[in-house]
Amino acid sequence: MRRRAPQGPRNDDGGVQIGVALLAAVGGLLALVVVYLLRWWLIAALVSAVVVLGGTAAVVGWCALVALYLRRTHRVMLGGDHPAEPPPGSRDDPAHRSYHGGPAWWDLRAVLGWCWTVAAPWSVFLLPHLLLHALVVGAYMAAAWTVVGALRLADSGLLLVRRIRMVCPGCFVRLGYPAYLCARCGRRHGSIRPGGRGLWWRRCLCGARLPTLLLLGSADLDARCPHCDRSLEHRPGEAREFVLPLFGGTGAGKTRLVTGMHLALAQAARRAPEAYVEPVGEEAVRRLRDCERMLSTRTPPTPPGREVRGLTVRVGAGGRTLLMQLFDAAGERFNRSVTAEELAYLGKASTFVLAVDPLGIEAVWRSLTARERSRLAGDRSHTRDPELAYGAVRDEIRRQYRMLGHGRLPRWGRSRLAVVVTRGDLVRGTAVAPDGVGPREWAERTLGLGNLLRDAEADFGETRVFLTSAVTDGSGLADPSLGALLRWLLAEEDDAFTAMLADPEPPAPPAAGPRSERPESEYMEGTR
């Protein structure tokens, strides 16, 4: 008997397809029946109603989101519901931040955070508004910081045009900008320039407004050095500063020379219209209070342990103002390079004064007669060779100029040195008096300063020798040699100061009678 072959599983796919086709046919018939019974316009009306109601609901919901967004933005920016400003850190200025200094971003972040928290799935519909808000904030920040840069550039340009460079008379550091104290609460603002805490003005934590520019009066505030915190009583930034270091051996006459120059300036200002000279600071007022009396007596040497601090004198003439900082250090500081390194102000000056006592030079002292030595023994300073003081200071100036990026040059084109031989009144009429000889030739031949002067001419751009007498005459007027020295020192400043220091005109001749028979040429010659 033949065995029947085994059959595989039955295929039901055909039955499923037939069932789906029947269901589709039934649905189509039902749809035709509904359309026939309800008519097509009713279906269209229902579809339109659904579309209109859905669109209206979407528009109303979007308007509600926009209204909530605008309300939240108003409350954050104007209603006082903005994020709290963090207190200033220990290194920050005690002033409130300006809106471009942080609050603008903080408000935007607060609005975005609220939108995501309240309407997280629907906040996508506010994306155009949020993008526009971010663009406006970004444009405002860019404009504000552009104004900050422009104001700082204008302020720095004003200082550059007026050739104003600020130096602390206490620590001798060149200041980019001083610190200022709030006039109301005394808080210290280290960087008052335009920035994140104000454009034209800044508001201290106490509520006081402080100007941020010299043009707006920031120089009138109580200034402090940002490095040593000393009070800067000379109002830096208001006028050009002229740093003048004086150096020389012990007892060479530096202190007396400073006093004499101040008296010569004050007396010249009295003769010039609208000119003035005033010491700035308690120490300058104390040391220069009575110049005439100080010059009428012997001046003791500067104590070696006294702290070096600049004496500031404000000089005004012809509508110009100059702040002269005179640095008079004890002569012992110039004996060795170790102590000369403490004089950091040497690198901030371009004009220097070397004081030389002719009586302290041994060769000059031996050239005097016995009677002259006996008479001048009490006025002689036991100073060392002036070349030692000059060498120590020259090396320190070279080091500081090199540190400031000027390079190690054998000659500084803008630097000047005045070799001032003091005590001209004492050597007058002695065996070493410069009778009919120029100061330079007299200093080389009689004082033996030839090598020093040749070195100075190789080291400095300009060198000049002066013979001065820090004394007053019977009427209390300073010796004319001090005025000549000041005119040379201030020659590179404004012409108004050199004009103020010009020699006074001789008194006018008495008025003539009805007619003088003296020829005009003879009268002019006699006047000369």
Side-chain angles (χ1 to χ4, degrees):
M1 222 176 135
R2 181 181 295 178
R3 298 180 62 180
R4 186 178 294 178
Q7 297 181 356
R10 298 180 60 184
N11 188 3
D12 297 333
D13 292 341
V16 174
Q17 294 176 357
I18 293 174
V20 172
L22 290 175
L23 290 176
V26 172
L29 290 175
L30 291 176
L32 292 176
V33 171
V34 171
V35 171
Y36 176 76
L37 294 177
L38 300 180
R39 301 294 188 271
W40 64 269
W41 52 267
L42 185 57
I43 297 298
L46 290 176
V47 173
S48 299
V50 172
V51 172
V52 170
L53 291 177
T56 303
V59 171
V60 171
W62 180 77
C63 291
L65 283 176
V66 172
L68 292 175
Y69 160 76
L70 294 176
R71 180 183 177 186
R72 180 60 182 174
T73 302
H74 179 270
R75 292 185 62 184
V76 168
M77 298 183 64
L78 302 175
D81 197 12
H82 51 75
E85 178 184 355
S90 59
R91 297 184 178 180
D92 297 331
D93 283 351
H96 293 285
R97 288 183 177 272
S98 185
Y99 195 65
H100 65 275
W105 288 123
W106 301 341
D107 291 351
L108 176 61
R109 187 172 57 185
V111 172
L112 292 177
W114 175 87
C115 292
W116 180 255
T117 302
V118 175
W122 309 104
S123 59
V124 65
F125 294 105
L126 295 175
L127 186 60
H129 299 79
L130 298 178
L131 290 177
L132 180 61
H133 190 169
L135 288 176
V136 170
V137 171
Y140 166 75
M141 295 282 289
W145 284 104
T146 301
V147 173
V148 168
L151 291 177
R152 288 201 175 198
L153 184 62
D155 199 45
S156 301
L158 177 65
L159 295 177
L160 183 63
V161 169
R162 298 174 62 184
R163 298 188 302 166
I164 296 178
R165 293 184 296 177
M166 296 169 278
V167 177
C168 174
C171 64
F172 322 127
V173 175
R174 191 179 299 281
L175 308 178
Y177 222 77
Y180 293 98
L181 300 183
C182 175
R184 180 184 299 179
C185 65
R187 288 186 173 95
R188 182 176 181 270
H189 295 255
S191 179
I192 203 171
R193 304 188 72 185
R197 299 185 184 273
L199 292 177
W200 305 94
W201 303 85
R202 64 163 47 193
R203 190 161 57 92
C204 182
L205 295 180
C206 68
R209 290 206 315 168
L210 306 177
T212 60
L213 294 170
L214 295 173
L215 294 173
L216 298 178
S218 63
D220 296 333
L221 300 175
D222 188 3
R224 310 285 294 189
C225 175
H227 303 281
C228 65
D229 201 35
R230 290 179 180 268
S231 177
L232 303 177
E233 300 167 299
H234 60 284
R235 300 198 301 270
E238 186 181 51
R240 175 170 166 77
E241 298 182 12
F242 178 70
V243 179
L244 182 63
L246 290 89
F247 62 99
T250 305
K254 300 183 297 297
T255 303
R256 194 178 183 89
L257 182 60
V258 169
T259 306
M261 288 192 298
H262 176 262
L263 179 60
L265 281 171
Q267 293 178 349
R270 295 170 192 166
R271 298 190 300 266
E274 299 182 358
Y276 63 91
V277 174
E278 56 182 13
V280 179
E282 297 181 359
E283 184 175 359
V285 172
R286 177 180 56 83
R287 293 179 57 184
L288 302 175
R289 181 180 294 113
D290 193 357
C291 298
E292 297 181 14
R293 182 185 59 82
M294 293 177 62
L295 294 183
S296 63
T297 59
R298 183 180 179 185
T299 305
T302 302
R306 193 184 70 183
E307 180 185 8
V308 181
R309 184 174 173 84
L311 295 179
T312 305
V313 178
R314 181 178 285 107
V315 183
R320 304 291 184 179
T321 304
L322 183 68
L323 292 171
M324 295 184 63
Q325 293 190 15
L326 307 174
F327 289 92
D328 170 25
E332 288 79 6
R333 293 180 178 268
F334 305 107
N335 292 338
R336 295 182 296 113
S337 298
V338 176
T339 55
E341 292 177 357
E342 303 173 3
L343 310 178
Y345 58 82
L346 295 174
K348 312 301 186 300
S350 59
T351 303
F352 305 86
V353 172
L354 170 62
V356 178
D357 176 20
L359 302 179
I361 302 175
E362 188 63 29
V364 176
W365 183 255
R366 289 197 301 266
S367 299
L368 298 173
T369 64
R371 178 177 297 180
E372 292 170 347
R373 287 197 296 268
S374 176
R375 177 172 58 88
L376 300 175
D379 296 314
R380 185 193 183 195
S381 63
H382 299 281
T383 183
R384 304 178 66 182
D385 190 345
E387 293 189 15
L388 298 178
Y390 171 77
V393 173
R394 176 199 57 196
D395 295 341
E396 180 61 19
I397 295 174
R398 281 179 174 175
R399 187 183 70 86
Q400 293 192 25
Y401 266 60
R402 185 170 63 251
M403 291 175 60
L404 294 174
H406 291 251
R408 187 171 184 177
L409 301 177
R411 184 185 183 92
W412 304 293
R414 291 176 49 190
S415 61
R416 303 188 304 156
L417 174 67
V419 180
V420 179
V421 182
T422 60
R423 293 183 170 89
D425 56 309
L426 298 181
V427 300
R428 188 180 299 121
T430 64
V432 296
D435 297 331
V437 180
R440 171 61 185 266
E441 184 180 356
W442 177 69
E444 288 183 348
R445 294 182 178 181
T446 306
L447 305 185
L449 300 181
N451 292 334
L452 187 150
L453 295 177
R454 283 187 288 271
D455 291 343
E457 290 178 345
D459 295 330
F460 290 86
E462 184 179 359
T463 303
R464 184 73 62 86
V465 180
F466 295 88
L467 176 61
T468 62
S469 301
V471 294
T472 56
D473 58 12
S475 59
L477 296 178
D479 192 85
S481 61
L482 298 174
L485 172 61
L486 285 169
R487 284 194 298 272
W488 186 84
L489 294 176
L490 301 179
E492 293 190 351
E493 304 301 322
D494 197 273
D495 294 338
F497 304 112
T498 54
M500 180 188 73
L501 291 164
D503 292 331
E505 297 180 358
R515 180 178 179 85
S516 176
E517 300 298 332
R518 187 178 183 182
E520 182 179 359
S521 59
E522 182 181 353
Y523 171 77
M524 294 182 63
E525 185 67 27
T527 306
R528 296 193 191 97

